[in-house]
């Protein structure tokens, strides 16, 4: 890691810097990094923002130490379903030796690139929501629909003690959500990527039992031989999906099933043939795939490897809800029309991984994954994650327009 040359990296304000950028950098410096995020400081930061914006702030502790923070701008017709602007407060770990700058200093270079963990995923969006609301309130705007900003923990480790629990709580029900925005991805081209669905993450551990013995002998029916068959079946499928993605140009990563061998365990000594081995696979399945048929395929692969081969799920998400992108849908029409009016080119895709949007959709609410970061390399979870301040500022304007359009969607028939 290189020494810093930014005299304001520890929080001194630059009078020439846009206040929204200054706030963004302040938020980035809060070390909400897994596995021990500083959530308390983040919540205090959000409480301060709520006070600045004169918005009520609700805190819901879904389990010990895991608080959902909600800022609410009440609409003129609060009986209508609300708009939910969701973001998560935690960020993934870093390997500091690979970073050019301190990943929690929010260093800004001479080109306006802000380097920090969370710059893209997704503290940028949190502050863009906040600053868009600040701008709209300063303009004296009011909207029929209530707008909620939710800031949730633990998304980066599955959301099990965050959004997954929150959507089952009465506090979530009282939000009366009609439509939600959540995180997306950067796009290196002029296009903005929009996500209307997500893959189902399946984490499968395959256990294999076989005959043990001395390492000098040709033991029959060993665990290693069976494991070889298992791995071959799984990875041959992986190669087929990989080639399908390459050969069918209209497909994106979200359209194919990704599969990776992520852990392999077994053995006690160089000269002992083990009686048991295990392999872990991370599988991400598009919502267009028949999940029952896919599990039957997994069962067949294990059965074909021989006796004593079993598998268990460490994660098995099965909800395949997708949000409509038809122009007849009033929510999508408001979103897409607003983007067109700003000359934004959209590309609709299935999200290749998993975000908290899946829990919102599973609860019966349409949700779009969208981060307004075009002309930006995809660097979430990567070294030297950054976002340019001009892209960030443009995102505030985009969200201001989108929030205005969505909060003004006329009363729907279901709300009559």
């Amino acid at each position: 890691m290189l020494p810093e040359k930014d005299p304001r990296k520890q929080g001194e304000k630059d009078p020439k810097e846009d206040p929204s950028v200054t706030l963004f950098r302040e938020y980035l410096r809060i070390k909400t990094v897994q596995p021990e995020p500083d959530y308390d400081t983040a919540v205090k930061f959000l409480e301060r923002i709520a006070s600045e914006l004169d918005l009520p702030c609700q805190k819901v502790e879904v389990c010990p130490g895991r608080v959902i923070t909600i800022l609410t701008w009440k609409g003129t017709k609060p009986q209508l379903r609300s708009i939910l602007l969701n973001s998560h407060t935690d960020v993934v770990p870093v390997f500091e030796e690979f970073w050019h700058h301190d990943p929690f200093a929010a260093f800004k270079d001479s080109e306006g690139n802000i380097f920090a963990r969370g710059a893209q995923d997704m503290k940028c969006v949190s502050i863009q929501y906040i600053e868009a609301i600040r701008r709209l309130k300063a303009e004296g705007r009011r909207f029929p629909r209530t707008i909620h900003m939710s800031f949730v923990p633990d998304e980066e480790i599955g959301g099990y003690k965050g959004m997954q629990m929150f959507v089952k709580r009465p506090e979530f029900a009282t939000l009366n959500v009609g439509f939600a925005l959540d995180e997306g991805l950067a796009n290196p081209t002029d296009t903005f990527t929009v996500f209307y669905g997500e893959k189902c993450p399946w984490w499968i551990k395959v256990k294999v039992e076989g005959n043990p013995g001395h390492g000098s002998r040709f033991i029959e029916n060993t665990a290693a031989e069976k494991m070889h068959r298992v791995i071959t079946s799984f990875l041959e499928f992986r190669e087929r999906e990989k080639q399908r993605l390459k050969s069918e140009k209209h497909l994106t990563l979200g359209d194919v099933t990704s599969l990776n061998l992520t852990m392999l365990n077994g053995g006690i000594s160089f000269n002992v043939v083990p009686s048991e081995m295990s392999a872990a696979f991370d599988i991400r399945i598009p919502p267009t795939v028949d999940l029952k048929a896919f599990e039957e395929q997994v069962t067949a692969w294990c059965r074909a490897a021989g006796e004593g081969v079993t598998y268990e799920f460490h994660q098995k998400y099965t909800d395949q809800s997708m949000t409509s992108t038809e122009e007849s849908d009033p929510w999508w029409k408001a979103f897409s029309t607003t983007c067109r009016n700003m000359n934004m080119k959209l590309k609709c895709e299935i999200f290749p991984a998993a975000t908290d949007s899946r829990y919102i959709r599973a609860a019966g609410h349409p949700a779009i994954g969208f981060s307004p970061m075009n002309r930006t390399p995809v660097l979430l979870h990567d070294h030297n994650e950054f976002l340019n301040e001009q892209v960030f500022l443009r995102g505030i304007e985009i969200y201001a327009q989108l929030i205005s359009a969505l909060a003004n969607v006329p009363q729907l028939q279901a709300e009559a």
Side-chain angles (χ1 to χ4, degrees):
M1 186 173 65
L2 300 178
E4 301 300 343
K5 298 180 181 180
D6 182 0
R8 294 170 297 280
K9 70 178 189 299
Q10 298 303 325
E12 294 181 22
K13 293 185 178 180
D14 179 358
K16 298 180 182 179
E17 184 174 72
D18 188 292
S20 298
V21 174
T22 302
L23 188 69
F24 177 36
R25 297 175 72 191
E26 179 185 351
Y27 190 35
L28 289 169
R29 294 183 183 114
I30 302 174
K31 295 186 70 172
T32 52
V33 59
Q34 294 288 355
E36 297 181 1
D38 182 7
Y39 285 137
D40 289 343
T41 301
V43 171
K44 291 176 183 177
F45 172 85
L46 295 168
E47 288 179 309
R48 190 193 87 203
I49 297 299
S51 177
E52 291 176 3
L53 297 178
D54 193 25
L55 295 177
C57 178
Q58 180 184 14
K59 294 184 291 183
V60 181
E61 189 171 34
V62 294
C63 65
R66 297 298 181 263
V67 174
I68 311 289
T69 308
I70 306 152
L71 278 59
T72 297
W73 188 10
K74 189 175 181 180
T76 58
K77 296 181 179 180
Q79 72 275 13
L80 299 181
R81 290 194 172 274
S82 67
I83 306 303
L84 178 66
L85 309 175
N86 185 62
S87 62
H88 61 82
T89 55
D90 60 324
V91 300
V92 295
V94 298
F95 298 94
E96 292 196 27
E97 63 271 24
F98 295 106
W99 283 67
H100 300 316
H101 310 284
D102 182 339
F104 298 102
F107 176 85
K108 184 172 71 171
D109 68 14
S110 59
E111 297 179 353
N113 296 317
I114 301 167
F115 292 85
R117 177 57 86 217
Q120 292 188 14
D121 183 18
M122 66 172 296
K123 288 186 173 181
C124 56
V125 171
S126 300
I127 302 301
Q128 286 167 331
Y129 290 157
I130 289 167
E131 293 302 280
I133 295 294
R134 190 193 304 273
R135 182 177 301 182
L136 293 170
K137 285 179 65 69
E139 293 172 357
R141 302 286 297 278
R142 291 297 305 276
F143 305 104
R145 296 182 184 274
T146 294
I147 301 163
H148 302 289
M149 291 184 283
S150 56
F151 305 87
V152 304
D154 280 18
E155 190 275 346
E156 295 292 6
I157 54 173
Y160 310 121
K161 294 182 179 181
M163 183 59 79
Q164 186 181 43
M165 298 185 72
F166 183 45
V167 296
K168 300 173 184 177
R169 299 272 300 223
E171 293 91 342
F172 180 84
T174 61
L175 297 182
N176 193 28
V177 174
F179 184 83
L181 290 177
D182 200 356
E183 68 179 310
L185 293 174
N187 190 316
T189 73
D190 286 339
T191 299
F192 294 84
T193 314
V194 177
F195 299 97
Y196 60 91
E198 300 189 8
K199 291 182 175 181
C200 290
W202 282 16
W203 292 351
I204 296 177
K205 185 175 184 178
V206 179
K207 295 182 178 180
V208 174
E209 296 177 350
N211 294 328
H214 195 277
S216 65
R217 302 174 57 207
F218 287 111
I219 308 298
E220 296 293 335
N221 203 29
T222 65
E225 291 171 299
K226 296 176 184 179
M227 182 56 74
H228 178 262
R229 298 182 196 117
V230 168
I231 292 174
T232 298
S233 294
F234 275 74
L235 295 189
E236 283 181 346
F237 170 80
R238 179 186 188 274
E239 183 62 22
R240 290 194 297 273
E241 289 294 281
K242 181 180 176 182
Q243 292 304 319
R244 191 161 71 92
L245 178 60
K246 287 183 177 180
S247 61
E248 300 180 34
K249 300 302 182 182
H250 67 284
L251 296 180
T252 68
L253 184 57
D255 296 315
V256 299
T257 299
S258 62
L259 183 154
N260 283 288
L261 171 61
T262 54
M263 291 186 286
L264 190 61
N265 296 287
I268 56 173
S269 175
F270 274 102
N271 63 342
V272 176
V273 176
S275 62
E276 183 176 307
M277 300 184 76
S278 67
F281 297 92
D282 181 352
I283 308 171
R284 310 297 176 104
I285 309 170
T288 51
V289 170
D290 184 328
L291 297 180
K292 181 180 179 182
F294 187 81
E295 185 172 356
E296 289 173 352
Q297 180 65 77
V298 170
T299 302
W301 289 336
C302 292
R303 186 185 302 117
E307 295 182 355
V309 180
T310 59
Y311 67 89
E312 62 183 19
F313 284 96
H314 286 240
Q315 180 176 190
K316 185 183 183 183
Y317 197 77
T318 58
D319 186 88
Q320 296 181 298
S321 301
M322 292 183 281
T323 298
S324 174
T325 55
E326 298 293 330
E327 290 298 324
S328 58
D329 181 88
W331 299 114
W332 175 252
K333 183 177 181 180
F335 183 95
S336 61
T337 300
T338 302
C339 290
R340 281 195 299 271
N341 291 342
M342 289 187 283
N343 297 314
M344 296 169 56
K345 182 180 179 182
L346 302 182
K347 184 178 182 183
C348 296
E349 297 184 10
I350 297 294
F351 197 83
T355 73
D356 281 338
S357 291
R358 68 189 189 275
Y359 300 125
I360 299 171
R361 294 190 190 98
H365 310 290
I368 287 293
F370 174 70
S371 295
M373 299 183 291
N374 67 339
R375 302 177 183 174
T376 303
V378 180
L379 293 171
L380 78 169
H381 299 200
D382 205 344
H383 310 313
N384 299 305
E385 179 181 354
F386 76 87
L387 184 64
N388 185 271
E389 65 179 337
Q390 294 306 316
V391 175
F392 168 77
L393 291 170
R394 172 62 174 152
I396 296 173
E397 173 60 27
I398 290 170
Y399 274 125
Q401 296 291 331
L402 287 173
I403 292 168
S404 298
L406 292 167
N408 271 319
V409 167
Q411 180 172 317
L412 307 179
Q413 185 174 0
E415 298 170 318

